[in-house]
Amino acid sequence: MIRIKAAGKTFRTGGRITVALSPVDLEIGNGEFVSLIGPSGCGKSTLLNMIAGIVPVSAGAIEHDARPIAGPNTQAGYMTQQDSLLPWRTASENIALPLVIRGVPKSAIVARVSQMLALVGLHNFGGHYPAELSGGMRKRVALAQCLAYNPGTLLLDEPFGALDAQLKLLMQAELMRIWESDRKTIVFVTHDLTEAITLSDRVVVFSSRPGRIKEIRRIDLPRPRDPLKIQFDAGFRELHQSLWDALAPEIELARNEALA
Amino acid sequence: MNLPTKEAAGALIGPEGAEALAAGRAGDAHFGLAIRAGQVGIGALLLLVWHVVSGRWIDPFFISSPDAVAIKLWTWTADGTLWNAFTYTFKAMMLGFVIGSLAGFATGFVLGRSDLLARLFDPYITALYCMPKIALAPLLILWFGIGIESKVAMSALIVFFLVFLNTFSGVRDVNPLYLHVTGIMGASSLQQLRLVIFPSAAAWVLTGLKVSVPYALIGAVVGELISSNRGIGFLIGQASGLFDTAGVFAGLAVLAATGIILNAGLKKLETRLLRWRGQR
């Protein structure tokens, strides 16, 4: 359970104070898949980084399983939009990294890594360095790394943002399959509404800067969901339309602010 | 280079592609051989030109001749002069290189990790960096005498700055994302040092070491040229004092060969340690 209690963030840059995120309240249950969506600069990534413990809160508090977060949140796996694989480690060595850090015995690491490589369909590429892999393969390695030490919670910051449309669908399907088999808590930041609805139990819509929660919508579409087909479902289209009505004016506002 | 195996490549690009890749690699090998032959050819041509010009158009007093230099190298080798001088210079250079690299690495590392120290020392480091280190040679001889110590000091001083600056930049260049991500995985600061900061800075440090090698040699030889009775620098100085151009060229040839061999060794080490960068 992640409990966000009036957590906000302000930055001070050269005497000027910028509010990145107005204080927000949100509770994310165990095994729940929650997406945070909003225009750029709305503070959704900031909120995720605060849950991850790499950005301190300026106000309020965040608790993860009843423990306040102060410093890197080691109960969670974190996957970023940018490549965070260490380029000097092979795919296998990258997947092994969290296990090495946790002092897992070597034989157990070897077994776990090959299991993870198989899970993301890369068993032939364990010995390759990130520079030798395609963008989609690197994402799959990063996902395998995240899952390798079996954290109960995954924090995903636009993990598929840089992928082309087809690859994105494949990765979404893969993530759904994994999530449906062992029900981790997932907090998923995205700016893609279709992606948010396809994957989530709840979608949280943020307003433009200073970000606050504008709407929280439960997605009651039946599971398992097929990312390829669900978009043609009537219920999906309805949800998409009403959430888009909430989101569109915020995107417009954010754009005007950026232009001003 | 860590080239993917033919099988792994086949999985990526299909069997025909893998064949083409393998053929391309064989082609590369042929090309490499041709380049090597060309390099030797250029050397031979230069020697030939030198040989022809010397005595015919230019007085050998100024440029000596390849055969005179070869004879000089042979006599020096035969009577042990060369070995004595070489080991002396090499020892000074290696000591300077090792001391300078270690000190430069340690300082670069500490200042790179601490913003406060980096800002405090910045003007002094810039001042020392801008100063031509060769100008310190007389002072070093005054401090350390005319023995090997002053040559080691000269060489260490020059190497220090090169390695220091590279290590400093390397440690600062670490992607903060890598530190965040490993932090969430539960890494301690010590683990981050070992798993992230050292490997990330390694490329910079290696570059620093590589450019330092010729400078370490310069440091040692300059020291010997200014005041010494041993070493390759001394041989060059002495030969030029006696208007023995062949001796000067022989000394220079030895220095050039030493530099080339050391550089090749470090390059090999670099490719091995940095094979993750892939082909560039």
Side-chain angles (χ1 to χ4, degrees):
Chain A
M1 170 84 110
I2 298 169
R3 203 171 262 138
I4 300 159
K5 294 190 284 197
K9 185 71 196 171
T10 49
F11 290 105
R12 192 187 295 271
T13 38
R16 275 191 23 208
I17 293 173
T18 315
V19 181
L21 184 70
S22 315
V24 296
D25 291 285
L26 184 66
E27 284 192 359
I28 298 165
N30 284 335
E32 193 180 13
F33 197 129
V34 172
S35 286
L36 312 181
I37 193 165
S40 330
C42 72
K44 57 193 192 293
S45 289
T46 306
L47 181 59
L48 193 78
N49 285 337
M50 293 194 303
I51 300 172
I54 56 180
V55 168
V57 293
S58 321
I62 299 177
E63 282 176 8
H64 192 173
D65 293 338
R67 280 194 298 189
I69 288 165
N73 181 354
T74 54
Q75 302 174 74
Y78 181 63
M79 184 173 160
T80 53
Q81 182 179 16
Q82 310 102 297
D83 258 326
S84 64
L85 297 177
L86 301 182
W88 52 86
R89 295 177 82 95
T90 62
S92 289
E93 288 166 351
N94 264 295
I95 297 172
L97 186 63
L99 306 172
V100 170
I101 287 171
R102 275 147 204 258
V104 174
K106 210 165 187 172
S107 56
I109 292 182
V110 172
R112 184 70 178 157
V113 166
S114 65
Q115 189 190 348
M116 285 293 121
L117 279 171
L119 180 75
V120 295
L122 288 174
H123 29 267
N124 285 327
F125 294 90
H128 286 55
Y129 288 97
E132 297 167 336
L133 299 172
S134 70
M137 288 171 161
R138 287 203 290 270
K139 285 289 163 210
R140 283 192 269 166
V141 175
L143 187 62
Q145 182 189 55
C146 242
L147 295 168
Y149 58 113
N150 206 19
T153 302
L154 294 181
L155 307 174
L156 309 176
D157 188 3
E158 298 191 36
F160 311 141
L163 300 182
D164 66 64
Q166 282 140 308
L167 206 51
K168 199 170 183 174
L169 285 173
L170 287 175
M171 290 296 294
Q172 286 169 357
E174 205 147 276
L175 183 63
M176 297 290 282
R177 191 168 53 73
I178 292 163
W179 179 77
E180 266 151 24
S181 71
D182 66 349
R183 294 283 159 164
K184 292 179 184 309
T185 308
I186 297 186
V187 187
F188 192 98
V189 167
T190 180
H191 55 244
D192 177 343
L193 184 55
T194 305
E195 181 173 64
I197 300 172
T198 303
L199 300 174
S200 314
D201 293 325
R202 277 193 296 162
V203 173
V204 180
V205 181
F206 281 75
S207 74
S208 64
R209 190 188 291 253
R212 58 185 169 74
I213 293 177
K214 184 173 183 184
E215 188 169 342
I216 300 177
R217 181 66 63 93
R218 184 160 295 284
I219 308 296
D220 285 323
L221 301 172
R223 292 187 187 267
R225 300 175 190 162
D226 180 344
L228 270 164
K229 294 188 185 134
I230 195 165
Q231 302 172 35
F232 306 107
D233 182 278
F236 180 95
R237 304 201 75 89
E238 217 171 280
L239 277 164
H240 191 281
Q241 188 57 52
S242 84
L243 280 168
W244 180 249
D245 289 342
L247 188 59
E250 302 304 329
I251 293 175
E252 186 67 20
L253 275 172
R255 211 181 54 152
N256 290 341
E257 196 191 340
L259 292 174
Chain B
M1 282 284 94
N2 183 51
L3 295 166
T5 60
K6 205 171 128 187
E7 288 79 283
L12 266 172
I13 53 181
E16 300 84 13
E19 287 303 325
L21 242 172
R25 224 164 280 148
D28 282 352
H30 283 304
F31 187 65
L33 219 63
I35 288 283
R36 198 38 61 85
Q39 289 170 337
V40 173
I42 292 172
L45 188 72
L46 285 174
L47 284 176
L48 186 71
V49 170
W50 187 8
H51 178 76
V52 170
V53 165
S54 169
R56 220 157 297 203
W57 291 308
I58 303 178
D59 191 336
F61 175 78
F62 294 112
I63 61 163
S64 187
S65 70
D67 23 317
V69 172
I71 291 166
K72 191 80 203 179
L73 278 173
W74 175 246
T75 36
W76 276 357
T77 314
D79 68 8
T81 314
L82 184 66
W83 183 245
N84 261 330
F86 176 76
T87 47
Y88 186 78
T89 305
F90 192 71
K91 192 172 150 197
M93 173 205 154
M94 283 316 281
L95 279 171
F97 181 72
V98 170
I99 294 171
S101 314
L102 287 177
F105 179 78
T107 318
F109 192 82
V110 170
L111 294 199
R113 293 296 297 157
S114 160
D115 255 326
L116 180 72
L117 290 179
R119 284 174 64 181
L120 273 176
F121 283 98
D122 179 62
Y124 302 100
I125 286 172
T126 313
L128 278 172
Y129 175 64
C130 297
M131 188 188 301
K133 260 66 76 186
I134 304 289
L136 292 174
L139 195 62
L140 291 178
I141 289 165
L142 193 71
W143 288 350
F144 295 101
I146 60 166
I148 197 166
E149 294 84 354
S150 57
K151 285 88 196 167
V152 172
M154 187 73 239
S155 165
L157 190 67
I158 300 179
V159 170
F160 170 83
F161 275 96
L162 291 166
V163 176
F164 163 75
L165 285 171
N166 273 283
T167 308
F168 182 75
S169 316
V171 169
R172 305 215 119 197
D173 187 52
V174 174
N175 188 341
L177 184 67
Y178 298 157
L179 296 174
H180 283 152
V181 170
T182 48
I184 292 167
M185 288 174 194
S188 63
S189 320
L190 211 67
Q191 282 177 320
Q192 286 184 327
L193 205 65
R194 189 165 58 81
L195 295 167
V196 180
I197 297 169
F198 278 137
S200 170
W204 288 81
V205 176
L206 276 170
T207 308
L209 292 178
K210 217 172 64 179
V211 289
S212 297
V213 166
Y215 285 97
L217 202 55
I218 291 173
V221 171
V222 164
E224 288 168 2
L225 276 171
I226 293 180
S227 79
S228 181
N229 50 12
R230 290 182 73 183
I232 302 283
F234 166 71
L235 279 186
I236 293 176
Q238 190 191 41
S240 98
L242 297 170
F243 302 111
D244 170 14
T245 341
V248 175
F249 276 104
L252 291 175
V254 172
L255 291 180
T258 312
I260 288 176
I261 292 167
L262 286 171
N263 214 290
L266 273 167
K267 221 170 172 173
K268 252 212 166 96
L269 183 74
E270 191 184 29
T271 356
R272 251 183 73 111
L273 288 177
L274 302 182
R275 65 186 192 282
W276 53 268
R277 285 199 193 179
Q279 293 121 298
R280 291 239 158 141

